[in-house]
Each structure stands twice: as C-alpha cells, then as structure tokens.
Amino acid sequence: MCWGVFTLAVDQPSSQRALKPLYLSKDSLAAAKEKEGLPGDAAKEKEGALEDAGAEAPLGALWSPPAMGIPGTLPSTWAGRQEVAGLRTVLGEDTTGMSHTEGAGPPPALPWPKGTISSLHSGPGHEEQETQQRNGEDDQHDGSASLVWAATPGMLLQKDKQSSLHPLSLSWVLGYNSSLAVHSLMDGEDRVLLYVSSHVGVIHDVLGNRQYHLQGHTNAISCLCVSEDRRWVATADRGPDALIIVWDSYSGMPVRTIFESHAEDGVSAIAVSQDAKYLATVSAGAVQRVCVWKWTSPTEEPVCSTELRPEFGCQDYVIFNPQNPYEFVSNSKSQVIFYLWGDAGLQYGAPLLSSRTFNSSVGHFSQSVFHFNNSRALTGTSAGKLVVWDMVGPPAPSKELLDKPHSTKATRVVPLQKDSLTVLTVFESCIVTGDVKGQVKFYDGQLQLLACYSHSKVGPIQSISFSKSPPGLPGAFPACSTSCTASSQPVIPRNFILSTSDATVFRVATDGINFEKVMEEAKKAVNAIACHPRHALLAVGSRCGLLQVWGYQQTKYLVSRVFTEAGIQCLSYDPKGYFLAAGFTDGSVHILDAISLQSSCKAFKFSRGPVTHISFSHDSEYLATADENYTVTVYKRALQNGSGCWEHLAGLRSHYKPIRSILFGVQLDSSQPRLLSLGEDRQLVEYDLHGSSKDHMVVLQRHRVEQVAVPLCLAWYPQLSTESFILTANNCYKMKLYNTTTKMCRKTLLGPTYGSPLEKIQILTTSNTTDPQKHYLAYITKDKVGLQILPMDGNPHKSSAFICHPDGVSDLASSCDGLYVFTAGGNDCTVMKWEVSLTALDAAASLGGEDLIPFYNLLDGGREGEFFRELEDYFYYAQLRSHGIDTLETRQVSTHIPLEEIPSVMRAMGFYPSEEKIEEMINEVKFSKYVDIGEQVTKINLGDFIKLYINHRPAFGLSMKKIQHAFQVLGHDNENGDKVIDRRDLLLLLQCRGEHMTEEELAQCLTTLLGKHPGEGGSEPDTYDPSGAAAVTEDEIPEEITAEIFAADILGLPIAEPEKKNQKKEMNLWSMKTQKHS
C-alpha cells in the first residue's frame, strides 16, 4: 500500500504553531475522489499520476501572517485560511500544465513527494496509528480541506457575499499599481483579471463587476507572479516583516506563507517555475540575495541562495527557463545574470556586455526571456534592440549541477526598432515585444516579424498577458499562423491583456482590430476624495488632473473630467449637493456642478501655494480654503445679474505653521455660520464672517490649545449633553474636548494607539434609534483606517483599526448613510471602499469588559498587580494627609480624596505633569457636573482617579529618545563629539524657558532628586533648608551634562546597559578633569 502525506496547522499563535503530519492511503484518496464525483477508473488514473509526478516535498502548512500589526484585529479574508488548515497537498490542477475538463470532478492533485515516504513510515504498527489519526481528525477538517480540493476556475467569484465579522471589511478597490503586471486569469464568458492595489491582490471579474481581495500583506506588494495554469499566485512585499504568500486563485485561499524570506529589505522580484513547484526571489537590499524556494515544503529556509555584488545593479526582473526549472535569469538596467541550481547550490554567471562589445549602443536592459529552443536567451533594451545570449556549455538536464555551470555570452545585438522595448515575453513559439509607443509585435524564432498590434490610445506597455486557452474552442490553435493576405495580419490564437504605465488596461481580441479599454485609473497620486451628501456618489481627484465621480452602489464610474493645468489636491461637496469644489496644486479653486462637473463660475486663484483644505458652510453660502502658505481664504455666494455666483471675500495668513483643519459650524444662538482653523502652531483661530468685508478678514478669537503636543485634526463633537464641544486629536495619541464658547479644555482622553496618531477624523452619520447617545467616529492614521465608539472615555476596546494603505493614507470620506468609509492612498494611486459593521464593533467593545475592567488592564500588572496596590496605598495616604497626619480626632471614612491631592498622587505614581496639565486635570473633574447640576465637584474617588491617570499620562511613557532629542536641540558638541549642555545653561533653561521655575524651586527639586540635604548629608523630604544648595549642585552635577547623565544621575531613571557604560565613561573623564583642575 502506498501512502501520501500532508500537514496540518494547529490553530495556535504563530510562536507556538506546530506541524502535525497526517497520512492518507491510496484507497482513502480514491474514495475521496469518488465522493467528489470522479469515477473509480479516473481515480486510479489520478493515483498513477501522483506516483509518476514525484514532487520533492510535502506542501507547507497554511501559516497565517501576523494580524496586520494591529492588536485584536484580523483581516476578514484570513478567516478562511484558518478553515483550510487541513489541506496541504491536494491543491488542484496538475502542475505539469494538464488542463482540467469542466465537470470532470476535482482537478488532479500536486505530485506526491519522492524520497520522504519511507522515512516517515518506520516501525511496525505505524500504518494503523496513522489511519487512526486520520479518522480522528477527518470530520473536523473534511469540509475545510474541500475548499481548495474541490475548487474550480470561476468558483471564487460565484460565492455569495457573507456578512462581515469585523467592524471594517474591504468591499472594493479603485486603482492599481501600474508598475506591476496585470494578469489574465480567465477570458471568454468570464473575463477575470489579477492585479495589485497597494498591499492587496485583486481578482476582478470585469463582466460580472465583482472583486475578490487577497489580503495578507502588511506592506505594499512589490512583485507577483502567476503559474502557467493560472491557478497559483505568488505575491511578495517590501518593508518590515516582509512576506511571500502563495494563493490558490480558484478558491482565494492562501496555501503557503513564507516568513522572513528577506527580512531586512523585502522582495524586489519573484518568478514561478513552469511546473509551479519552485519560486525564485531577489531581495530589495543594497546587497541583493537570490533564493530558490520549494514552496510546497514546510521549511522556512530556501533550497539554495547566493548574494550578488552591488556593481550588478538592482536586479528587478527574474524568470525561469520554461523547459528547465533549475535554470533562471534576472536582469537590472545594466547587467543580465544567468543562474543554475541543484544539489551543489546556486551558481550564477554575469556575462559582460557594453557598447564596445559590438561597437553599437545597447541601452538599458528591460526584460529577459529564454528562447523556446532552450539554447538561447533574449534581453530587450531601451534602444529598441534584442541582445541574443548563447549557452557555451550544455545546460544541466536535471537537478544535479555540473562541476562548472555552463557559461553564457552575448553573440549578437539585433536592432528591432528605434523605440524602447519595455516588455519581452515568449508565447508558445512566438517572441512578443511591447514598447513605449504602445505597439505589440510578434516575431518567430528567427526574429522575423509576424504581426503588429497598435492603437493610438495605448500608452507605454507595462505587461502583456495571454488568455489561458483560445476563446470558444476546446483545443489549442497553432502558435502563430503566418498565412495572411495583404489586408490581414497573421492570426494570433489567443486574446491578450495589455497594461500600460499610464494606468490603463486594454483587452485585445484575436482579430487584431478590437482594442477594448477595460480599466482606466489615476496615473498619479490620489490625494482627494469626497462623498455626496445625499446620493451614493464618490468624487475622486488625482494629481494628474483626473476628476472622476464613482457610483459606489453600482461600482462604476459615471462621469469624469481632466484638468490639464494642475493636479487636484482636495475636494468637497456642499451640504445641499449642488456644487463640488476642488482645490488644485497651483493654488486655484474650481467650483463645479456636482453632477456634470462643468464649471459653475470662473476659477479663482488667490492662494499662493497648493490648496490643502476646502469646505462649505452648512447653508452653502460660504466656501473656505487653506493652503500651504498658511493662509485661510473665504469665498462668498452672491447675486450677479439676477443669478447666483461666487466671489472672493478675503484671505488671511492666520498661522505660522501648516494648517491641519478648517471647519465650518453653526452659531449657538443663531443659524449663522462660524469658521475655525487649526494649525501645527497649536493655534485654534475663529473668524468673524459677519464682520469681515472685501479683502479684510476679521479674527474673532485665537486660542492656544496645546502646550507641548501638536494638534492634527478637528471635528464637531456630537451633541451628547447640554454642553457643546469641539474634538481635537494630537500627535501624543490624546483626544481633547473643548467648550465651543470658552475654548476651555474640558476633557482629555486616550485615543486609539495603532502605531501612529490620528491624522483625520469624521463623525459617521447613523440612524441608531435604539440608543441616541451612541455615535461613531471614523479616523485614519498614517497607514490605517478605524472606527471609534462615542462617547469616548479612554477605553481601548471601543476602537478598531485595519491597515488600508501601508505607504500612507491621504484622505478620508464617509457615505451619507454611514454604511461605508473610503480611504485614498496618495502615491499608491488607489481608493478603498470599506463596509462598516457597527454591530461587530459593539460586540468587540463588550468583550473588553465593562466599567473599570478595561482600565485595570491598562495598568502595569492589572487589577491584581503591585502597581495597583501601590496606587491604592498612595490614594489612602492622600486621604490621611487631607485630614492631617497627626490629628487625634475621629477620622471620617471616605472613598474620595480632595482635588488638591491629585498632583501629589500622580507624581507618586511616576507621572510628572506640568502646571498647565495639572490645572486641566483639576478643572476636568471640578466642572464635570457643573452644566447639569450647577455645582463644582471637590473630590474624586479611586475609580475616577484611575481613568484620569490613564487618560492623562503619556501614552507610551517617557522614552530615552525624547530626552536625547531635547539635548540634540538644546545642546552643543563637546570635544568627544557628544551632545552636552553646560551646567550653567541647564539651570538657566529650567528657570527661563517653558514653565518658569524660581531659583528656590529649582534648588529644592535638584537637592531632592540628588538625595542630598545640604549640611546634614541625609534626606528629609518634608523639611528643606535652601542654604548650601548651590554648593551641593556644583558638587553633584558635572560641568557638562549628557542626556544619559541627566536621565540616570539627576532624574534617577533606569537606562539601557550600553547607555550606562557610556555614561560611566563620561563620569570617569569628568572626575579625572576635576582632579586635575583641583
């Protein structure tokens, strides 16, 4: 009896996940195939194929990447990966390219490994043990394994949409990475494309208007490849924790994940062998590493690898020899490298070629291919030429390498055309080129032109992908028919897909006449999006000047307009939905009809720099913009000749640092609009629109909203109480509520902490009739999109975030009904539509616990930890101190402390707030009930104190990097090249900069920190004598102070060992200098 083997991934954390072997007898396999609809004879036939094919290793476990770097979140499409953990080797079509007839049951399996079965089956009774193991787990994994086993072409896009289990789930992607190839997965009745959008692979059914998303990467995908049978897709990325993921395009399941393949730099190029068993990857580092992977093996190590010399240039293209999987070629712009691998490792040759070789200009290399006669290779160049490489020695026929691999040299350079060649590929027995003029040319093996396809609207070609099989016919056509009349071209037997570098995709029919435009997306960065206030419309603006309106319910573009003068930087609909305003990179402002995109009036150009923000007032009477010149400009609607028009009102340079937000609101005592702007200069400016006149902008109020942090965004907080608030978020992960009238900070809250601060926020429109007090906030960080439950209280379980654009999010918009959130990716040229599930968000929040439980978990050690017990002790000590330590009177039992004790307890717990921060904390508690009951709060209990502490303390504590940064700014270089501050300068800075300290306060703080009581040599915190403080300061503080000395010896903070060693060395040098001086 013969046995096959595949592995199971135990559903555990990645650090503990183990591989568990599972063995299937041939009888069991045959039974399974018959169950799937295959007749017994067919099953036997397939068993024989398994024995003959002989793969080198069992398939790897379906390992899941980390959960996108976001605590408590998991991409929705990864759930399926957990379900198919029982399937390993049964991966669909035969990798030798044998086509699978529709309706004949499941496709053949991958070949079974050779040389591994006997080692896995040793000792008597092993067979029985394996059978029992299989029987015990069969029921659990049978259904999940069939997801890949029973998958057929087109099945993926026929799935019914299921409700999401996550607060945000990716629903649609606009745009794609035009620098990567677009592949044709299916053609004919179903036209299915595969392309990359940011960190997502998109399988797009063009005719069915459906998308399926391959989610798993946390960085932008840098390269991809597809197997010859179009079933297996491999994607790789660059950046931290780079991944290589192999997908089954039939089921959409990830079947193999390779972690830390090129951990430092990621992957710049990837290729799959003709038999789909091997991957070749090239790293993206300065010193590139080339690896060969047997992706069907569970090992995380490559079969072989080698490093390339930097002088070879950045190798950004790689391809296998279709007739020999142990041979492949890669190229940079200046060097072509040939590889041969096997048991002896990976060896390569880098033949030299320059303009002197053939006394002819060669140009830069673009792509390379192997000639179909298996003795030559070709490389296209920017000079429109083909370099022909010939193998000097015989190629290795199998995995065993020769002692010395065959060498390769350039034998001739063939000038094909004047235009640069951008694409070079082999299609059956034709050599196909694509160029910068949009031409596709077919040549025979002797480089004689057979056919040329071109169209005036096709730009520089980026990729060419042929359909899997000829349309409408069961068999294959001859490769390239050369029989043609004078009025016709040779017949190319398959349709093909062209993608261009200007983000356009065409489908070319076999008659050579029909160039069908399949997709046309933004060519440059997409920085601006806006949702219509009443209809399911999304406006998308690009730096290339393309403005498109997309119907997000029917998922198609409705109207577009191209502005050739400048790029679009920001967009906004007016609240009534009549106008769409666009701000441009040249400072101009266009006000357009919201439906036709025709101009409603002439363009304005009053800004001296690119317009960064644009917004309408609630009554559509005012339009305000902010630009990179820190100027706010206001336009007003007016009547001219009996019809409405827009005119410039005034502008003002109201900030001295970049403006982060402009916001219209409504006056509390009237329906008049009010306008505010928030800048990185920490100024919140309110303008007097009613009092402003032509060319004269009046500022009503100006408030500094932060002391140290930088405010980043601004929004009106929902009316959840009788008091109205403005909500801001800063770069210290804090969100603050300010009274809309007095601008007093009424509350500070811990915001979402997902790697970077909030960049933009929007209140979602909801129709929550069950709880009118519950609202929701959408936000974006540097690379994520998320939701937050309102009212906010600092509970981290009330927010959730997902990676949306790893290279940066540029804009955020939400639909008029609050069911969708949209993000723009800037330089990745994509827009993503996210479906909102508030039920899932509420469920996740409830799982985090109620009342104080979430806040206890934020304390070091939790509710039962030492930190909490210490906090209780300090809290009760503050109660005793408030009644007097030495009092003999009966003490009143209380669970509160006076507000005056808050600073002492905060500092005792290691949080040292500034005087302004202390005032904000006390006022937050004091006026918390003033609006409701008209009385001030004078005391606080332990639970409220814990919330106050959690919300106000630094989100990530005090780091050594912050202290070092301060010394970088304030210090100077000493003779050793270290940043230092002189003792005298430090004392002056503490007394004159920031919150000023008196000389007595400074002396008291320093003597207390240094643990010295002048004149007595002891430490008494309750008594202080200022006499002799200066002498102690001079004795204990060196003349030159580094960041390490300040942190360790003055503040008494623990620092890392290397920093301690450097600090000890500096102290020894200072001691030696002091002794020498004395």
Side-chain angles (χ1 to χ4, degrees):
M1 182 176 289
C2 182
W3 293 83
V5 57
F6 66 95
T7 54
L8 291 174
V10 182
D11 190 12
Q12 294 175 342
S14 59
S15 61
Q16 303 173 4
R17 194 173 295 138
L19 294 178
K20 185 184 296 184
L22 180 64
Y23 306 95
L24 300 178
S25 68
K26 287 178 60 177
D27 296 338
S28 301
L29 288 171
K33 293 167 189 172
E34 289 180 6
K35 182 179 179 181
E36 294 290 341
L38 246 137
D41 293 339
K44 291 180 182 178
E45 259 186 276
K46 297 178 75 173
E47 290 165 17
L50 296 181
E51 292 177 359
D52 296 337
E56 265 53 345
L59 288 175
L62 303 185
W63 288 47
S64 300
M68 301 180 71
I70 306 172
T73 64
L74 186 68
S76 58
T77 54
W78 290 350
R81 183 179 313 190
Q82 306 297 327
E83 295 172 2
V84 297
L87 194 60
R88 292 298 177 268
T89 54
V90 189
L91 288 179
E93 264 186 18
D94 188 344
T95 55
T96 59
M98 223 163 48
S99 59
H100 166 61
T101 306
E102 187 174 354
L110 275 182
W112 294 116
K114 279 185 178 179
T116 59
I117 297 176
S118 59
S119 62
L120 291 172
H121 298 266
S122 58
H126 197 79
E127 181 177 316
E128 182 181 354
Q129 180 181 352
E130 292 157 358
T131 307
Q132 291 174 354
Q133 183 180 7
R134 179 191 183 275
N135 293 337
E137 296 180 343
D138 226 15
D139 294 338
Q140 180 180 355
H141 296 287
D142 200 34
S144 58
S146 64
L147 290 175
V148 177
W149 165 254
T152 56
M155 184 190 77
L156 175 66
L157 296 166
Q158 296 171 4
K159 292 181 179 179
D160 293 331
K161 188 176 179 182
Q162 298 178 352
S163 58
S164 173
L165 301 177
H166 305 279
L168 288 172
S169 56
L170 186 60
S171 175
W172 196 271
V173 181
L174 293 175
Y176 72 99
N177 186 344
S178 60
S179 66
L180 299 181
V182 176
H183 294 274
S184 173
L185 297 184
M186 298 178 66
D187 192 88
E189 293 183 1
D190 296 310
R191 297 180 191 172
V192 182
L193 303 181
L194 168 70
Y195 51 85
V196 168
S197 298
S198 187
H199 66 305
V200 177
V202 180
I203 297 177
H204 186 181
D205 179 4
V206 177
L207 299 181
N209 198 25
R210 300 185 66 173
Q211 285 185 354
Y212 186 87
H213 306 112
L214 307 178
Q215 293 178 268
H217 291 276
T218 59
N219 306 302
I221 296 174
S222 56
C223 50
L224 81 160
C225 60
V226 180
S227 65
E228 181 67 21
D229 60 7
R230 307 298 197 274
R231 177 155 197 183
W232 312 112
V233 177
T235 56
D237 63 64
R238 295 183 187 179
D241 302 320
L243 300 175
I244 299 172
I245 305 178
V246 181
W247 311 82
D248 173 24
S249 69
Y250 291 0
S251 64
M253 293 295 174
V255 295
R256 180 74 165 97
T257 300
I258 302 175
F259 298 91
E260 300 180 356
S261 57
H262 301 279
E264 295 181 359
D265 310 294
V267 184
S268 67
I270 190 170
V272 61
S273 61
Q274 183 82 359
D275 58 10
K277 290 191 287 187
Y278 304 106
L279 296 175
T281 61
V282 184
S283 71
V287 178
Q288 290 185 289
R289 183 167 173 251
V290 181
C291 299
V292 176
W293 307 84
K294 191 188 306 179
W295 69 269
T296 56
S297 169
T299 178
E300 293 291 315
E301 297 297 324
V303 176
C304 52
S305 66
T306 187
E307 287 189 351
L308 304 179
R309 298 200 298 269
E311 54 264 31
F312 292 158
C314 179
Q315 301 285 313
D316 56 5
Y317 185 79
V318 64
I319 188 171
F320 274 94
N321 185 341
Q323 301 179 35
N324 184 5
Y326 304 106
E327 188 177 8
F328 59 95
V329 61
S330 72
N331 69 262
S332 64
K333 290 183 178 180
S334 59
Q335 181 67 60
V336 178
I337 303 177
F338 294 88
Y339 306 84
L340 205 59
W341 67 277
D343 291 336
L346 176 60
Q347 301 182 37
Y348 68 86
L352 297 177
L353 176 63
S354 65
S355 57
R356 297 179 182 178
T357 307
F358 297 101
N359 295 321
S360 173
S361 174
V362 178
H364 296 302
F365 300 137
S366 55
Q367 292 183 358
S368 302
V369 294
F370 286 93
H371 198 285
F372 42 79
N373 68 10
N374 201 30
S375 63
R376 285 179 177 175
L378 307 171
T379 300
T381 76
S382 60
K385 301 177 180 180
L386 275 186
V387 180
V388 181
W389 309 90
D390 276 322
M391 313 299 178
V392 176
S398 64
K399 188 175 180 180
E400 291 75 20
L401 276 175
L402 302 177
D403 293 338
K404 291 183 179 179
H406 63 270
S407 59
T408 309
K409 69 175 184 177
T411 56
R412 59 180 173 141
V413 175
V414 181
L416 293 183
Q417 58 187 56
K418 294 181 179 180
D419 301 315
S420 174
L421 298 177
T422 56
V423 175
L424 179 64
T425 186
V426 170
F427 165 64
E428 296 184 352
S429 58
C430 290
I431 296 166
V432 187
T433 66
D435 60 33
V436 293
K437 291 293 184 66
Q439 300 177 103
V440 179
K441 296 180 180 179
F442 290 77
Y443 299 86
D444 63 11
Q446 303 302 316
L447 299 182
Q448 299 297 313
L449 182 64
L450 298 176
C452 177
Y453 295 82
S454 64
H455 194 283
S456 60
K457 293 185 179 180
V458 179
I461 293 177
Q462 188 66 35
S463 69
I464 302 173
S465 178
F466 290 91
S467 60
K468 182 178 176 181
S469 59
L473 291 177
F477 278 118
C480 292
S481 174
T482 56
S483 59
C484 58
T485 63
S487 60
S488 65
Q489 292 183 338
V491 177
I492 305 304
R494 301 189 195 175
N495 301 335
F496 56 93
I497 294 293
L498 297 180
S499 71
T500 66
S501 58
D502 56 5
T504 307
V505 178
F506 294 90
R507 177 179 178 269
V508 182
T510 54
D511 56 14
I513 300 173
N514 182 18
F515 274 71
E516 178 188 353
K517 185 182 292 185
V518 179
M519 293 168 55
E520 184 176 15
E521 302 293 345
K523 304 173 182 64
K524 295 183 180 179
V526 178
N527 290 327
I529 53 176
C531 281
H532 195 281
R534 297 182 179 179
H535 303 294
L537 303 175
L538 177 74
V540 181
S542 167
R543 278 289 184 96
C544 64
L546 175 64
L547 175 61
Q548 297 172 299
V549 176
W550 185 61
Y552 55 80
Q553 292 288 8
Q554 60 268 49
T555 61
K556 65 179 182 180
Y557 288 112
L558 303 178
V559 64
S560 64
R561 179 178 174 182
V562 178
F563 297 84
T564 58
E565 300 83 7
I568 301 172
Q569 187 72 14
C570 52
L571 292 169
S572 178
Y573 281 100
D574 80 297
K576 296 180 180 178
Y578 299 147
F579 301 105
L580 174 63
F584 286 77
T585 54
D586 64 350
S588 61
V589 174
H590 291 250
I591 302 177
L592 313 171
D593 180 83
I595 304 299
S596 66
L597 301 185
Q598 297 301 310
S599 298
S600 298
C601 59
K602 65 177 182 178
F604 298 102
K605 195 171 182 180
F606 290 91
S607 298
R608 297 182 180 178
V611 179
T612 56
H613 299 80
I614 193 165
S615 181
F616 283 94
S617 63
H618 74 286
D619 56 3
S620 302
E621 293 296 319
Y622 290 91
L623 172 69
T625 65
D627 58 45
E628 287 188 1
N629 200 37
Y630 319 144
T631 301
V632 173
T633 307
V634 177
Y635 304 88
K636 187 178 181 180
R637 201 172 179 194
L639 286 175
Q640 188 175 26
N641 299 326
S643 61
C645 67
W646 290 89
E647 63 180 16
H648 173 258
L649 179 61
L652 180 67
R653 196 173 192 268
S654 50
H655 295 269
Y656 63 90
K657 286 188 177 182
I659 297 173
R660 299 294 308 202
S661 295
I662 56 173
L663 186 66
F664 274 104
V666 184
Q667 299 287 352
L668 294 178
D669 54 353
S670 68
S671 60
Q672 293 298 314
R674 58 190 300 191
L675 175 64
L676 300 94
S677 65
L678 180 69
E680 290 184 9
D681 54 6
R682 303 178 178 88
Q683 297 292 317
L684 178 63
V685 181
E686 183 168 5
Y687 305 88
D688 184 0
L689 294 176
H690 183 71
S692 299
S693 57
K694 182 66 175 176
D695 297 327
H696 178 65
M697 179 79 75
V698 178
V699 173
L700 187 64
Q701 292 178 331
R702 187 185 294 269
H703 293 271
R704 180 174 61 84
V705 294
E706 295 284 357
Q707 185 181 27
V708 176
V710 177
L712 300 179
C713 47
L714 181 69
W716 295 106
Y717 198 66
Q719 194 74 35
L720 303 178
S721 64
T722 53
E723 191 174 5
S724 299
F725 296 109
I726 300 169
L727 177 65
T728 68
N730 63 34
N731 67 337
C732 293
Y733 299 89
K734 302 295 183 183
M735 304 188 78
K736 292 188 173 184
L737 295 177
Y738 294 89
N739 183 281
T740 56
T741 303
T742 64
K743 307 299 190 300
M744 175 189 288
C745 179
R746 292 286 291 103
K747 205 160 193 177
T748 300
L749 300 155
L750 177 65
T753 53
Y754 295 111
S756 57
L758 306 192
E759 299 283 343
K760 291 186 179 181
I761 53 178
Q762 278 193 11
I763 307 298
L764 287 183
T765 303
T766 58
S767 55
N768 192 344
T769 56
T770 58
D771 187 0
Q773 292 296 306
K774 183 173 284 188
H775 291 260
Y776 300 87
L777 173 81
Y779 62 83
I780 55 174
T781 66
K782 180 182 177 181
D783 59 351
K784 300 177 182 70
V785 59
L787 297 176
Q788 170 73 50
I789 298 175
L790 302 180
M792 294 188 62
D793 57 2
N795 181 356
H797 299 287
K798 287 188 176 182
S799 68
S800 180
F802 296 83
I803 292 178
C804 55
H805 303 276
D807 292 335
V809 194
S810 61
D811 205 1
L812 169 72
S814 59
S815 62
C816 56
D817 53 9
L819 298 180
Y820 301 99
V821 170
F822 302 89
T823 57
N827 291 328
D828 68 14
C829 303
T830 64
V831 174
M832 295 190 178
K833 171 188 172 185
W834 300 84
E835 187 174 350
V836 176
S837 175
L838 300 179
T839 305
L841 181 63
D842 292 336
S846 63
L847 292 175
E850 298 179 353
D851 198 25
L852 287 172
I853 293 177
F855 298 92
Y856 288 143
N857 294 333
L858 293 177
L859 297 175
D860 187 17
R863 176 68 175 81
E864 305 300 326
E866 183 180 348
F867 186 88
F868 179 79
R869 293 195 296 270
E870 189 177 353
L871 174 58
E872 280 186 315
D873 292 341
Y874 284 129
F875 193 82
Y876 296 140
Y877 177 73
Q879 286 183 340
L880 296 176
R881 203 170 75 155
S882 65
H883 292 102
I885 296 294
D886 300 325
T887 182
L888 298 177
E889 298 179 4
T890 303
R891 298 185 185 276
Q892 193 75 26
V893 177
S894 174
T895 58
H896 297 73
I897 61 172
L899 299 186
E900 295 77 14
E901 295 292 338
I902 288 177
S904 299
V905 183
M906 290 285 183
R907 289 165 181 156
M909 298 308 300
F911 170 39
Y912 304 98
S914 64
E915 295 299 321
E916 181 175 317
K917 178 65 69 175
I918 289 172
E919 184 179 357
E920 286 184 359
M921 286 191 292
I922 293 177
N923 286 339
E924 179 177 322
V925 182
K926 182 187 293 185
F927 297 107
S928 58
K929 299 180 181 179
Y930 187 81
V931 176
D932 298 325
I933 63 176
E935 296 179 1
Q936 296 182 3
V937 177
T938 59
K939 55 187 179 180
I940 185 173
N941 61 29
L942 180 59
D944 290 338
F945 180 87
I946 291 174
K947 290 182 179 181
L948 192 71
Y949 171 76
I950 292 294
N951 284 318
H952 281 267
R953 70 174 181 179
F956 300 105
L958 179 64
S959 67
M960 190 64 198
K961 288 184 179 179
K962 291 184 178 180
I963 299 177
Q964 289 171 340
H965 175 71
F967 273 72
Q968 289 286 333
V969 174
L970 301 173
H972 62 86
D973 293 326
N974 64 3
E975 59 186 23
N976 298 324
D978 299 322
K979 285 290 183 182
V980 298
I981 300 178
D982 295 335
R983 179 176 60 206
R984 181 175 178 275
D985 293 340
L986 178 63
L987 298 178
L988 287 175
L989 286 169
L990 292 172
Q991 294 178 76
C992 303
R993 300 289 294 271
E995 290 185 344
H996 301 174
M997 299 179 70
T998 65
E999 186 175 354
E1000 182 179 350
E1001 289 174 337
L1002 179 59
Q1004 181 178 3
C1005 287
L1006 288 176
T1007 52
T1008 303
L1009 285 170
L1010 296 171
K1012 297 293 184 181
H1013 184 63
E1016 297 182 6
S1019 176
E1020 290 291 339
D1022 292 332
T1023 60
Y1024 169 71
D1025 182 5
S1027 62
V1032 171
T1033 301
E1034 291 184 5
D1035 292 340
E1036 297 295 329
I1037 301 179
E1039 181 65 30
E1040 290 185 344
I1041 306 168
T1042 64
E1044 290 73 24
I1045 292 175
F1046 183 74
D1049 295 332
I1050 298 178
L1051 298 181
L1053 300 176
I1055 59 176
E1057 286 300 323
E1059 294 168 344
K1060 285 184 178 180
K1061 291 178 181 178
N1062 294 334
Q1063 175 241 335
K1064 184 177 181 181
K1065 180 180 177 182
E1066 292 161 359
M1067 289 294 291
N1068 290 336
L1069 289 172
W1070 170 76
S1071 178
M1072 292 171 61
K1073 291 178 183 177
T1074 305
Q1075 292 175 6
K1076 185 177 179 181
H1077 178 74
S1078 60

